[in-house]
């Protein structure tokens, strides 16, 4: 009987701990979303590390985001002329040598990918989770003072992305790390400066191709 009670107490404690963890995670996601909802614009330098097998390339650029129209632009300074832009129902991608342009009204896959990139920056993590067939974990990390969110594709999920890692500064709740693993075994790590310009006017031309 005592053994049975001990097991029951252990199960209850484990369940309570899991519920507390879930409650904490929900509160953190709400905090990130609420804080970012007041952000009108962001500007910051960033680095991009691309890993494909044994090949690693390092790139740099300037990152822009405006809540007005939910627009995002990554303009590369090295190599100069490369870009990734989500704006006005289009996704423009010249991270590689060949430019690609998509009308997101006509491509549900590109619309989802563009939306997820914007939602990551705007702190709308729940939208990314709800729009994809993924498992999500959230860690409160002291090592780098971050909320680290990892989304991993479930079995059968086949939209080009196998894993996404988002890191938000615990103090500012702004994103500073975005990691995207492609199914084709290419890994992209974007690191955004943790002290961006906030609320400054952005030249609208950065969102135009």
């Amino acid at each position: 009987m005592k053994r049975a009670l001990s097991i029951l107490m252990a199960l209850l404690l484990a369940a309570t701990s899991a519920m507390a963890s879930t409650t904490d995670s929900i509160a953190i996601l709400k905090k990130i979303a609420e804080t970012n909802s007041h952000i009108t614009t962001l500007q910051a330098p960033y680095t991009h590390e691309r890993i494909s097998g044994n090949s690693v390339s390092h790139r740099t650029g300037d990152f822009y985001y405006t809540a007005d129209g939910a627009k995002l632009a990554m303009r590369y300074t090295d190599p100069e002329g490369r870009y990734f832009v989500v704006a006005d129902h289009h996704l423009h991608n010249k991270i590689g040598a060949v430019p690609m342009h998509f009308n997101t009204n006509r491509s549900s896959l590109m619309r989802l990918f563009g939306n997820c990139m914007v939602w990551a920056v705007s702190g709308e993590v729940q939208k990314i989770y709800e729009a994809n067939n993924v498992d999500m974990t959230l860690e409160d990390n002291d090592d780098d003072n971050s909320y680290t969110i990892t989304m991993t594709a479930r079995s059968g999920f086949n939209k080009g992305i196998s894993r996404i890692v988002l890191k938000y500064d615990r103090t500012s709740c702004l994103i500073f790390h975005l990691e995207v693993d492609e199914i084709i075994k290419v890994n992209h790590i974007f690191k955004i400066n943790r002290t961006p310009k906030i609320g400054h006017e952005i030249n609208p031309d950065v969102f135009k191709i």
Side-chain angles (χ1 to χ4, degrees), residues 32-56:
I32 292 171
E34 171 62 21
T35 302
N36 280 276
S37 69
H38 300 289
I39 301 295
T40 55
T41 65
L42 288 174
Q43 301 177 59
Y46 72 92
T47 62
H48 173 197
E49 183 177 39
R50 182 183 185 275
I51 305 168
S52 178
N54 294 324
S55 174
V56 180

Side-chain angles (χ1 to χ4, degrees), residues 13-209:
L13 286 171
T16 302
S17 176
M19 289 175 62
S21 178
T22 300
T23 302
D24 290 345
S25 296
I26 291 171
I28 288 171
L29 292 178
K30 286 183 176 179
K31 175 185 174 183
I32 292 171
E34 171 62 21
T35 302
N36 280 276
S37 69
H38 300 289
I39 301 295
T40 55
T41 65
L42 288 174
Q43 301 177 59
Y46 72 92
T47 62
H48 173 197
E49 183 177 39
R50 182 183 185 275
I51 305 168
S52 178
N54 294 324
S55 174
V56 180
S57 63
H58 298 274
R59 306 166 184 184
T60 59
D62 294 309
F63 165 90
Y64 305 90
Y65 164 77
T66 177
D68 183 15
K71 300 176 184 180
L72 170 68
M74 293 181 176
R75 293 285 188 170
Y76 288 79
T77 54
D78 184 16
E80 189 175 6
R82 302 290 175 92
Y83 53 76
F84 180 87
V85 177
V86 180
D88 301 319
H89 306 293
H90 285 79
L91 188 153
H92 307 281
N93 181 1
K94 194 185 177 185
I95 291 179
V98 180
M100 294 181 286
H101 307 282
F102 303 94
N103 183 327
T104 53
N105 284 331
R106 298 175 182 173
S107 171
S108 59
L109 179 59
M110 289 299 106
R111 181 169 62 252
L112 175 62
F113 182 55
N115 284 342
C116 286
M117 292 293 285
V118 171
W119 290 336
V121 175
S122 63
E124 297 174 280
V125 179
Q126 190 66 27
K127 285 187 177 181
I128 303 175
Y129 174 71
E130 291 173 354
N132 295 282
N133 183 26
V134 295
D135 292 315
M136 181 169 68
T137 62
L138 190 155
E139 298 177 63
D140 191 345
N141 289 326
D142 290 326
D143 291 345
D144 58 2
N145 191 39
S146 77
Y147 298 126
T148 301
I149 298 159
T150 303
M151 298 189 196
T152 306
R154 293 172 182 156
S155 177
F157 180 69
N158 186 22
K159 293 183 179 177
I161 306 298
S162 60
R163 188 180 71 123
I164 297 174
V165 179
L166 309 172
K167 290 192 176 188
Y168 296 87
D169 186 278
R170 284 198 303 195
T171 304
S172 67
C173 287
L174 298 178
I175 192 167
F176 69 90
H177 180 107
L178 169 59
E179 189 170 342
V180 179
D181 293 351
E182 297 185 56
I183 288 176
I184 59 173
K185 306 300 182 182
V186 178
N187 176 242
H188 301 270
I189 302 173
F190 299 92
K191 294 184 179 180
I192 303 165
N193 190 285
R194 294 179 80 154
T195 55
K197 294 180 180 178
I198 301 173
H200 289 238
E201 185 176 353
I202 296 176
N203 185 337
D205 290 343
V206 302
F207 301 110
K208 297 177 182 178
I209 300 299

